[in-house]
Structure formats: structure tokens, C-alpha cells
Amino acid sequence: MSTSHLILLTGASRGMGRAMAEQLLQPGNVLVCLSRHSVAELSAAAKAHDVSLEQWEADLADPVPVAARVAEWLGQQDAQAFDHATLINNAGTIGDPRPLAAADAASLAQAMRVGLEAPLLLTSAFLRATRDWRAARKVLNISSGLGRNAMGSQASYCAAKAGMDHFSRAVALEEAAAQNGARIVSLAPGVIDTDMQVQLRATDPSLFPDRTRFVNLQAQGLLDSPATAAGKVLAYLARPDFGSNPVADVRDAA
């Protein structure tokens, strides 16, 4: 009997999120992607591979209705239908890199809503809605080294990722004490050549003194492609020890 795996993935329209979505289009998977825009190529690939795919256009800067929709949809599913159920909180934004004293309030608020409030609310909705499912449940939060090592002109991104790390620790304690508790990991995926990197390399160095560091990472070939990074992240998700350390790095030894 084949297994069935439900995966909810945010930020699936570009970068590593899109690469993960492409790699998750495998037989037995049911994939629900939440992004600001749908991707026609993903729909075509899902049809070609005969994989169930839903794409929801959702603005995670307004996370309350998105979490409510996730909870309602999960509540309509058969609690016995899936062997595995996974939420991947991948979406994030670096906002407008600049010192906090020079930052725009609306940009800061958006970065925190997308990067921290949305993952927190979606994790809550997922765990509550799937509590009585027979499925083995996992939550994978895509964090960053900047959640663990501060960088100037990145206060909102550092704060969001540090908050993601710490709420993952708290949820891990809660789920460890629950029947059929979910396993949760906040995972740093390494450095990846995405639109975020392009934005950082293009930032005025007077606003972002560490710009040269990111220019050098690209020049030295030290950035993973989105596809390579996605493969590493999904391999970590599949590790038998997933959840043993709620705050981890994709480069951690097995």
C-alpha cells in the first residue's frame, strides 16, 4: 500500500520555495502551496507527474485570514487519509535593508508579519487541526544564520528568524508532552543565490555596510543554487532524527 504525504508550503512561487515545490511533486504527495502568485509551470509539472497540487494566492503580510483558511481546509480533510502531514514555513522577506533608525515603519511591520507572525499562526492552525490525525506530523521552519548571529541593517530579519528559532523550541517542548506530538525544527538552510541575495548585493553600502560580504560570497562561488539548497533541506526533513534538535543547521552531521 502506497503512503500519502500532505505538505503545506509557503513561499513556493520563487527561489528555494519554488525549488522545493518542484522536488515535492512526487507520487504519493499532496502539495498545497501558499504564495502571493500562482505558478503555471508548477501546475503543468503536477499534471505531468499526476500529483495533487493546490496553489492558494495568499498575502502572508495579512496572516490571520490565511491561518483561518488553512485551519478550515485541514478540518475538511479525512483524519485517516494521510500517513504523514508536514507544514513548511518557508516564506520570508529581508524588507528594506538599512539601520533601524532609518527604517520605514510599514516595511518593518510587513517583515515581521511575513517572517514571524505568519509562521507562528500557521503552525498553531496546523497543529490544532491535525491533532487527532493518524499521520506523523512535522513542522519545518526555514530560519537563517542571521537568527543566531546579528548583522547591522537587518534588525527585522534577524528578529523574525530569532523569534522563529525560539518559538520552535517552545513548541517542541509542548509537542513532546502531547500524544502523537509533532516534530518541529527551525532550520538554517545555508547561503543561497536567491532574489534576497540579489537585493542585498544591490543595496547602498552606506545603508548596509556588510554588502561587500555578500558580493564576495557570489564572486567566490559560495552560494548554493535554489535547487541544491532545496535538496539539502528536504533531505534534512526526511532524516530519522528530525526534531531531535529543534534549532538546527542543514549542515549538521546526521
Side-chain angles (χ1 to χ4, degrees):
M1 181 178 178
S2 62
T3 60
S4 183
H5 189 170
L6 171 66
I7 307 109
L8 288 84
L9 169 65
T10 69
S13 63
R14 60 180 183 171
M16 189 179 73
R18 177 166 171 177
M20 281 195 287
E22 291 169 348
Q23 294 176 31
L24 286 166
L25 292 176
Q26 300 292 330
N29 286 351
V30 175
L31 181 60
V32 179
C33 295
L34 291 78
S35 306
R36 283 181 296 174
H37 308 288
S38 298
V39 179
E41 292 82 357
L42 283 178
S43 295
K47 185 176 181 179
H49 290 87
D50 194 24
V51 175
S52 176
L53 169 69
E54 293 195 27
Q55 296 191 73
W56 300 354
E57 294 190 356
D59 183 2
L60 293 178
D62 185 17
V64 173
V66 181
R69 182 180 180 184
V70 167
E72 180 180 15
W73 186 86
L74 289 171
Q76 295 169 350
Q77 306 309 304
D78 180 355
Q80 303 300 314
F82 299 103
D83 300 296
H84 306 275
T86 299
L87 169 66
I88 304 176
N89 285 308
N90 165 73
T93 176
I94 59 171
D96 182 17
R98 61 184 57 231
L100 187 63
D104 173 70
S107 178
L108 291 173
Q110 181 186 38
M112 295 303 293
R113 289 182 184 128
V114 173
L116 182 57
E117 186 178 345
L120 186 73
L121 294 180
L122 291 174
T123 300
S124 175
F126 173 80
L127 294 176
R128 182 170 57 253
T130 61
R131 174 66 68 200
D132 296 325
W133 286 21
R134 72 175 182 86
R137 299 175 301 141
K138 295 180 181 177
V139 176
L140 173 59
N141 290 326
I142 302 300
S143 185
S144 169
L146 293 187
R148 301 153 203 185
N149 299 283
M151 177 177 287
S153 299
Q154 285 284 274
S156 60
Y157 189 75
C158 289
K161 296 305 185 183
M164 174 179 276
D165 285 353
H166 212 44
F167 96 66
S168 298
R169 292 186 181 99
V171 174
L173 294 174
E174 297 163 1
E175 292 299 305
Q179 185 176 1
N180 189 30
R183 290 183 283 169
I184 182 169
V185 174
S186 187
L187 184 70
V191 285
I192 311 162
D193 200 6
T194 63
D195 290 346
M196 287 187 182
Q197 287 280 336
V198 173
Q199 183 180 352
L200 291 172
R201 294 194 296 266
T203 301
D204 184 340
S206 68
L207 296 173
F208 184 46
D210 282 292
R211 172 183 174 273
T212 301
R213 171 183 169 185
F214 292 90
V215 171
N216 290 339
L217 285 171
Q218 184 197 37
Q220 296 167 17
L222 298 177
L223 300 174
D224 277 343
S225 70
T228 297
K232 292 178 180 179
V233 166
L234 294 177
Y236 193 100
L237 178 65
R239 282 169 48 156
D241 66 340
F242 181 90
S244 60
N245 184 357
V247 176
D249 190 290
V250 75
R251 294 159 288 197
D252 291 344

